[in-house]
Amino acid sequence: MIVPFTPGGGADITARFVAGPLGAMLGQPIVVENRGGAGGTIGTAAVAQAPADGYTLLYGTPGPLITNPHLMASLPYDAARDFAPVSVLTKGAYVMAVHRDVPARSVAEVIALARAHPGELTYASSGVGAGSHLAGELLCIEAGIRMSHVPFRGTGPALQETAAGRVTISIDSYGPMLPLLQAGALRAIAVTTAERMPELPDLPTIAETIPGFEVTVVNYVCVRAGTPQPIIARLNEALLRVLSDPALDERMRAAGSSPPQGSTPEELGALLRSESAKWGEVIRRAGIQAG
């Protein structure tokens, strides 16, 4: 299983949670191989160039097949044609949080503050074109506000700078944010999914203030296109059994990961297409281009 990012990140952690029981289900060990670089394109290209036999799996996040085709002038693979969907793994939320001294305690108050100080509010991201960047751009578009984007090299630095008060807002993953929320350095405002998070039932959604707003962080498994359908079906069946295990759900929640959630290959394919269309439009309107 190729994870197209460096070790220790959310994708790597979830991949290792899944790989062990999936290997046991399939009757052979699954090795997690990290091939980071170029926004996930290096590892993704390795899967596109592997034999179409189902032995090389891509652990995907929104970047490789959803947003990178719109952000990068050229890719070493065709996101729409070179991969066959297997299953969704997780569908999670970002949390919008502000530094504790920011005088806003709701989405409406953040919007009002941004309108009163156009361009002065800043929002952190883990890099140009990252999900946290795109979530902030979508908020600006949907709310009709202007904020200044401050990119960092990773989620950790972005959250730390927001917690230190050098950036106003962060819209990012809940797991890495949790210690800062618990310490009171950040104050949670809302979640980005259409429904409230079970872990944070009292925290409203952004959609409760901006109808239709939704940012879902999708993780998934694909194989190279041309892999025989019976092999894809076997991988899907095994993944669904692994993802339905309450023990895995517990482990992932305890680590701050999104809960496991499987799908059919067809459902994943439709989701990849719809998410690509959505974020392609946001990237176009915001004029974002990765370096």
Side-chain angles (χ1 to χ4, degrees):
M1 180 182 288
I2 291 181
V3 177
F5 303 101
T6 54
D12 179 59
I13 292 168
T14 302
R16 293 176 190 279
F17 281 153
V18 171
L22 179 61
M25 193 74 65
L26 293 171
Q28 57 187 23
I30 293 181
V31 177
V32 174
E33 183 177 339
N34 297 93
R35 292 200 191 181
T41 62
I42 292 174
T44 305
V47 178
Q49 295 158 9
D53 56 11
Y55 281 93
T56 305
L57 311 178
L58 170 66
Y59 185 105
T61 64
L65 302 187
I66 294 172
T67 58
N68 284 354
H70 304 286
L71 289 165
M72 299 181 178
S74 63
L75 288 174
Y77 54 84
D78 187 307
R81 292 201 299 263
D82 290 348
F83 301 91
V86 177
S87 177
V88 170
L89 290 179
T90 65
K91 290 173 70 175
Y94 285 141
V95 173
M96 183 169 84
V98 297
H99 180 258
R100 61 189 170 200
D101 293 338
V102 174
R105 295 183 173 274
S106 68
V107 174
E109 290 180 359
V110 169
I111 292 170
L113 194 62
R115 286 176 177 161
H117 305 277
E120 293 182 24
L121 266 64
T122 54
Y123 70 95
S125 84
S126 56
V128 174
S132 45
H133 178 196
L134 299 181
E137 289 293 346
L138 183 62
L139 178 65
C140 290
I141 290 169
E142 295 293 324
I145 58 176
R146 185 159 55 89
M147 299 191 296
S148 297
H149 172 226
V150 184
F152 294 92
R153 291 189 174 184
T155 294
L159 292 175
Q160 289 296 335
E161 290 299 291
T162 308
R166 287 184 279 272
V167 186
T168 314
I169 297 169
S170 180
I171 306 175
D172 217 317
S173 303
Y174 173 59
M177 192 182 287
L178 182 57
L180 298 170
L181 294 171
Q182 292 173 332
L186 295 178
R187 180 169 63 252
I189 297 292
V191 297
T192 63
T193 39
E195 305 292 333
R196 295 192 180 196
M197 286 176 61
E199 297 89 344
L200 301 168
D202 296 328
L203 197 63
T205 66
I206 295 177
E208 290 172 41
T209 302
I210 307 173
F213 186 98
E214 182 178 8
V215 177
T216 302
V217 187
V218 183
N219 284 210
Y220 52 89
V221 168
C222 288
V223 290
R224 181 180 166 179
T227 300
Q229 195 57 40
I231 293 176
I232 293 175
R234 185 183 178 207
L235 289 169
N236 176 264
E237 179 186 9
L239 269 170
L240 292 183
R241 291 175 66 184
V242 167
L243 296 173
S244 65
D245 184 354
L248 178 66
D249 186 287
E250 255 184 59
R251 290 183 70 199
M252 289 175 65
R253 288 181 189 271
S257 300
S258 302
Q261 180 178 337
S263 75
T264 65
E266 293 75 19
E267 288 168 339
L268 173 56
L271 182 60
L272 291 173
R273 289 189 294 273
S274 64
E275 286 288 289
S276 177
K278 172 181 176 174
W279 292 113
E281 177 65 11
V282 171
I283 290 164
R284 185 191 65 78
R285 291 181 63 179
I288 302 169
Q289 187 171 4

